[in-house]
């Protein structure tokens, strides 16, 4: 006769062994946390059997898989049988800007969070370009000193710094970063929309004038 062993705490099926005959009489020896109640047939894949005292129930078995906290995205290994605990999912977030959507039961990109991250990055860039060590600041100082190492004009570098201030800003009170379209007022990069420095503007102009023109056949 076969007997089925189960975990003493969770009652989850562990293994099946042959029962030892009872040396003192008829029948077989059935140890604690085991039963001679047969296992059900055709148990679906991904299910675990749990003894209920009278028979076997089948529950989802995700043991060994990774679950992710829907609030922190922190991963943890599943060590229990049954439905995934509330606040966790088997779906891994693929973006730092995703937040869990209870209605969709899936991760969803938080557009505003993504935008703020981009705006913050642009603000930090413009801040570095405005620093006292930046090329623009150094060039303005050189112009003020009448140095031969000064390039372009003081007005051009000053205008660039004004463009940087208009391009990105930060409101500490609301902890909000903003990036503005300044292309109608200043020269900007067509892709990044960042203001162009005098050197970048000159290079862009040089490229546009030196690019080969297509001749129209007469």
């Amino acid at each position: 006769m076969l007997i089925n062993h189960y975990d003493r705490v969770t009652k989850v099926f562990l293994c099946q062994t042959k029962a030892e005959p009872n040396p003192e009489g008829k029948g077989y020896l059935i140890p604690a946390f085991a039963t001679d109640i047969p296992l059900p047939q055709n148990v679906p894949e991904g299910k675990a059997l749990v003894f209920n005292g009278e028979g076997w129930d089948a529950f989802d078995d995700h043991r060994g898989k990774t679950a992710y906290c829907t609030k922190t995205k922190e991963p943890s290994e599943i060590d229990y049988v049954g439905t995934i605990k509330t606040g966790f999912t088997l779906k891994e977030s693929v973006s730092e800007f995703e937040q869990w959507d209870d209605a969709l039961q899936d991760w969803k990109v938080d557009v505003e969070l993504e935008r703020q991250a981009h705006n913050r990055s642009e603000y930090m860039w413009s801040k570095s370009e405005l620093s006292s060590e930046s090329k623009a600041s150094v060039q303005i100082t050189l112009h003020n000193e009448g140095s031969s190492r000064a390039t372009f004009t003081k007005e051009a570098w000053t205008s660039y710094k004004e463009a940087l201030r208009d391009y990105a800003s930060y409101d500490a009170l609301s902890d909000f970063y903003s990036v503005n379209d300044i292309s109608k007022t200043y020269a900007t990069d067509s892709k990044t929309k960042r203001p162009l420095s005098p050197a970048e503007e000159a290079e862009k102009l040089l490229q546009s004038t030196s690019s080969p023109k297509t001749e129209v056949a007469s």
Side-chain angles (χ1 to χ4, degrees):
M1 183 181 74
L2 295 176
I3 56 175
N4 302 303
H5 300 262
Y6 53 86
D7 186 89
R8 63 186 302 172
V9 177
T10 64
K11 312 302 181 186
V12 175
F13 170 74
L14 297 176
C15 64
Q16 195 174 64
T17 62
K18 287 185 177 182
E20 297 291 334
N22 188 347
E24 299 181 357
K26 297 180 180 181
Y28 294 86
L29 296 175
I30 299 179
F33 311 110
T35 178
D36 60 354
I37 296 177
L39 300 175
Q41 300 296 313
N42 302 319
V43 178
E45 185 177 352
K47 297 288 185 179
L49 296 174
V50 178
F51 189 61
N52 61 22
E54 298 179 351
W56 299 93
D57 297 316
F59 291 93
D60 292 337
D61 187 6
H62 298 292
R63 288 176 295 178
K65 296 180 181 179
T66 301
Y68 302 89
C69 178
T70 55
K71 289 185 178 180
T72 66
K73 300 183 182 180
E74 184 178 355
S76 59
E77 184 176 325
I78 299 174
D79 59 0
Y80 56 88
V81 168
T83 305
I84 302 298
K85 293 179 180 178
T86 302
F88 289 85
T89 178
L90 292 174
K91 299 177 180 179
E92 182 180 6
S93 173
V94 296
S95 168
E96 62 180 305
F97 306 117
E98 288 184 329
Q99 300 291 319
W100 182 255
D101 189 308
D102 284 324
L104 295 176
Q105 285 296 291
D106 204 347
W107 298 103
K108 181 180 179 181
V109 172
D110 187 322
V111 177
E112 185 55 35
L113 185 65
E114 186 175 35
R115 181 184 294 113
Q116 277 298 293
H118 168 74
N119 290 355
R120 181 183 185 280
S121 175
E122 292 303 285
Y123 172 76
M124 297 306 293
W125 169 79
S126 64
K127 187 177 179 180
S128 68
E129 287 289 287
L130 286 166
S131 71
S132 59
E133 294 82 17
S134 69
K135 186 172 183 178
S137 296
V138 170
Q139 282 296 317
I140 290 175
T141 299
L142 291 175
H143 276 288
N144 288 337
E145 295 173 347
S147 173
S148 60
R149 293 188 293 122
T151 60
F152 302 100
T153 65
K154 178 181 177 180
E155 290 73 21
W157 288 108
T158 301
S159 177
Y160 175 57
K161 295 188 78 170
E162 290 174 354
L164 289 168
R165 294 188 186 94
D166 291 343
Y167 173 63
S169 59
Y170 173 62
D171 184 348
L173 187 62
S174 59
D175 190 26
F176 190 82
Y177 294 90
S178 300
V179 168
N180 304 304
D181 182 2
I182 59 172
S183 58
K184 292 183 179 180
T185 308
Y186 305 97
T188 59
D189 185 277
S190 59
K191 292 183 179 180
T192 66
K193 307 303 180 183
R194 288 177 172 180
L196 295 175
S197 70
E200 292 170 328
E201 192 173 355
E203 183 179 356
K204 180 180 179 181
L205 180 61
L206 180 62
Q207 290 177 348
S208 64
T209 56
S210 62
S211 58
K213 296 181 180 179
T214 304
E215 295 185 1
V216 180
S218 57

